[in-house]
Amino acid sequence: MIKTGSNFIHVGQIHVDTKPILISTVLGSCIAVCLYDKRLCIGGMNHYLLPFWNGNGLQSLKFGNISIPKLIESMIDKGATCNTLEAKIFGGASINFSSCQTMMVGEKNILVAREILNDYKIKIVAEDVGGNNGRKIQFNLEQGKVLLKYTAKSNFGDM
Amino acid sequence: MQNLYKIEILENEVEFLSKKILELNKKLIDSQRAKTLFLSLVANKLNDPMTAVLGMLPHLKIQDGNENIFSTICQEASDLDFKIQNLITVAEIESGNIDNSHALIDIKEIIDEAVKSLKYIIKEKSIKLNIKNSVEKKIVTDPKKIYIIIKNLLSNACMHCPQNGIVDIILSIDDSILTLLIKNESSEPRLKEIPKIFTRFSEKIDSRHGLGIGLSIVRELCESLGGSVEYDIDNNFVTFKVKLPLDEAMQDFQACGSNEFLFDSFDDAIEL
């Protein structure tokens, strides 16, 4: 049975909606930025894999610096303003220590989220980032609360 | 102590480089945004007259001897519409408006629709089309996306299939994964194209076919549904293999996927 009112998002996706919707995802080194406008009960979540679009090929929502502005724009289109938006960020784990590059991806993803939100003057009111564990999160647009669970340390390197 | 110092240096380096890259990327994003807007405008401007043409074509009175001309016009209009729909899909992907929607569908109907839309090229090349479908029940997925995926792969198979060649469509479900194989005979399998076959607007080796966006759309849509697409060549047969999970994206936490963590409860979760 499909549960109406719940949405699972994958890498490279954005979902913006109003209460009473739930949005969930699973993260490894990826980041999910959850934005919420208490006034309108509008919320949105993205899920990005890498910090920067490198200019090769087409821009994609898999990149933080594409995905986060797009998420903010989508929220603004729904009537939110940067002044009334609050952010929560999750993910950015160092999942795979076999390569230095992989280890740094999570860190870079976190940095990009903070930088861009700061550029837009959107306050980060909660975060659970870094570490070595994957996370599953569920964003409830009724109150803007996020429920979080950790995975056992496993290979979520592609999430 | 030394390690801590190294970590601090690395962190500072990452922060510095990230800021630099962000600055450069802002410029790139602006130009990309302008291109996306242009693409979207062009796609929509082309779509409106095309819809009118396709709507009126069936009402034309065909005179004796003009059947072939009419058939060619229909074929070209259908092909042009397909290209426009792909442009629109690319514009949607680039704009981020590719949310998943779900419906209970009969996959056979989707296949039939895709085959019907390509009937002209199938007839023109006398392609022998074999459909092996072991999916008996209806499935829940995104009907629009799966149609675009199937049509692009089938169109690609027909385009590269020789005259009187064979195209196989094989569908199955195993462990809540829908597997779709589209296999076509190919007189000249293009091994050297494998690395960039899914790259949009890649430098085309064979410029006779398409716009270079169909397979990139397939990959993007498969990934947006939580699935994947692979490409393989064996004994002059080219096979595209699509795998799509049928539970994970739509049944939220109650589906029976391979990763139980995805679907357990949030009873003991942390609230932030």
Side-chain angles (χ1 to χ4, degrees):
Chain A
M1 290 292 292
I2 300 169
K3 273 179 65 176
T4 51
S6 63
N7 293 275
F8 187 94
I9 64 166
H10 294 275
V11 173
Q13 288 186 296
I14 283 175
H15 191 88
V16 173
D17 223 315
T18 51
K19 67 174 187 180
I21 296 291
L22 303 169
I23 312 172
S24 59
T25 196
V26 177
L27 304 157
S29 58
C30 287
I31 289 274
V33 175
C34 302
L35 294 180
Y36 193 66
D37 185 311
K38 281 182 183 169
R39 190 173 46 98
L40 302 169
C41 292
I42 293 170
M45 188 202 281
N46 68 355
H47 180 157
Y48 65 87
L49 177 71
L50 296 165
F52 302 111
W53 172 54
N54 59 7
N56 288 334
L58 294 167
Q59 66 180 11
S60 155
L61 294 173
K62 288 175 188 168
F63 301 103
N65 65 335
I66 306 295
S67 178
I68 299 169
K70 180 69 197 173
L71 174 65
I72 295 167
E73 282 169 26
S74 303
M75 294 289 291
I76 290 168
D77 286 347
K78 291 249 179 195
T81 61
C82 286
N83 299 333
T84 55
L85 282 176
E86 288 181 344
K88 295 178 183 181
I89 61 173
F90 303 92
S94 300
I95 297 297
N96 183 352
F97 288 91
S98 62
S99 81
C100 185
Q101 198 181 6
T102 307
M103 189 173 77
M104 302 303 278
V105 166
E107 291 298 321
K108 288 175 182 169
N109 280 339
I110 297 164
L111 187 81
V112 164
R114 287 180 179 149
E115 284 281 334
I116 294 174
L117 290 168
N118 185 47
D119 280 353
Y120 281 88
K121 296 185 171 52
I122 295 171
K123 193 177 171 189
I124 299 172
V125 295
E127 64 175 50
D128 192 284
V129 293
N132 302 80
N133 291 85
R135 296 165 172 88
K136 180 191 174 185
I137 60 169
Q138 185 192 83
F139 186 23
N140 186 334
L141 303 192
E142 193 80 57
Q143 318 95 10
K145 297 282 184 194
V146 176
L147 293 177
L148 176 144
K149 283 187 85 171
Y150 295 107
T151 67
K153 189 177 179 304
S154 60
N155 189 357
F156 273 90
D158 60 338
M159 301 189 83
Chain B
M1 198 67 195
Q2 204 175 4
N3 279 346
L4 281 172
Y5 178 65
K6 280 182 181 173
I7 288 168
E8 195 178 340
I9 288 172
L10 271 175
E11 283 175 348
N12 288 338
E13 185 67 11
V14 167
E15 192 165 350
F16 173 76
L17 290 173
S18 296
K19 281 181 179 174
K20 280 285 176 197
I21 296 169
L22 266 176
E23 286 169 18
L24 289 170
N25 262 269
K26 276 177 184 168
K27 291 175 185 173
L28 278 172
I29 289 162
D30 286 346
S31 64
Q32 186 67 25
R33 193 170 284 157
K35 194 190 74 178
T36 301
L37 183 64
F38 174 74
L39 186 64
S40 179
L41 280 170
V42 168
N44 284 302
K45 292 286 178 196
L46 289 172
N47 194 39
D48 293 344
M50 201 63 229
T51 305
V53 169
L54 286 169
M56 291 174 189
L57 264 179
H59 301 290
L60 286 178
K61 194 175 177 183
I62 314 302
Q63 293 175 340
D64 288 344
N66 283 349
E67 292 89 349
N68 286 342
I69 295 170
F70 181 70
S71 172
T72 303
I73 292 168
C74 288
Q75 181 181 342
E76 293 299 327
S78 172
D79 189 43
L80 186 55
D81 181 58
F82 177 40
K83 289 183 169 80
I84 292 167
Q85 295 314 316
N86 270 350
L87 276 176
I88 289 168
T89 306
V90 170
E92 284 173 352
I93 289 168
E94 285 202 34
S95 68
N97 299 325
I98 52 162
D99 278 353
N100 293 342
S101 65
H102 302 298
L104 191 64
I105 59 156
D106 182 346
I107 194 76
K108 187 182 176 298
E109 286 177 9
I110 302 272
I111 295 278
D112 289 347
E113 189 66 31
V115 170
K116 190 176 151 191
S117 69
L118 294 163
K119 64 184 178 188
Y120 296 107
I121 189 169
I122 292 168
K123 187 181 171 187
E124 184 193 335
K125 285 190 162 187
S126 304
I127 291 169
K128 187 173 185 295
L129 188 69
N130 304 309
I131 302 172
K132 189 180 170 189
N133 179 14
S134 63
V135 180
E136 289 165 357
K137 58 179 184 180
K138 288 188 173 183
I139 57 169
V140 179
T141 187
D142 187 318
K144 185 185 170 191
K145 283 185 185 176
I146 204 149
Y147 174 71
I148 294 169
I149 288 168
I150 291 169
K151 188 168 174 184
N152 270 294
L153 288 178
L154 191 55
S155 166
N156 182 71
C158 292
M159 278 195 298
H160 294 101
C161 188
Q163 198 72 26
N164 303 313
I166 298 166
V167 172
D168 293 333
I169 302 172
I170 302 159
L171 282 150
S172 63
I173 292 182
D174 189 32
D175 281 343
S176 304
I177 303 279
L178 173 71
T179 303
L180 164 71
L181 296 175
I182 296 194
K183 201 171 173 179
N184 69 280
E185 201 177 348
S186 178
S187 49
E188 300 167 0
R190 299 167 304 158
L191 285 161
K192 57 186 174 181
E193 289 187 41
I194 290 179
K196 54 184 179 180
I197 196 91
F198 296 111
T199 305
R200 197 173 300 165
F201 303 124
S202 65
E203 196 179 324
K204 294 197 69 62
I205 287 159
D206 182 355
S207 57
R208 286 175 305 157
H209 300 307
L211 300 169
I213 58 175
L215 293 177
S216 74
I217 288 170
V218 168
R219 186 180 62 177
E220 297 261 11
L221 295 186
C222 285
E223 288 177 0
S224 78
L225 291 167
S228 62
V229 58
E230 294 168 0
Y231 171 67
D232 188 39
I233 294 174
D234 184 34
N235 293 333
N236 279 0
F237 268 90
V238 179
T239 307
F240 283 87
K241 185 179 189 178
V242 170
K243 282 183 171 282
L244 296 174
L246 290 178
D247 292 327
E248 188 177 306
M250 61 199 105
Q251 295 203 356
D252 196 37
F253 335 111
Q254 299 180 338
C256 42
S258 56
N259 183 349
E260 286 180 23
F261 174 79
L262 285 172
F263 310 108
D264 61 6
S265 76
F266 274 94
D267 291 346
D268 53 347
I270 301 162
E271 189 178 281
L272 289 159

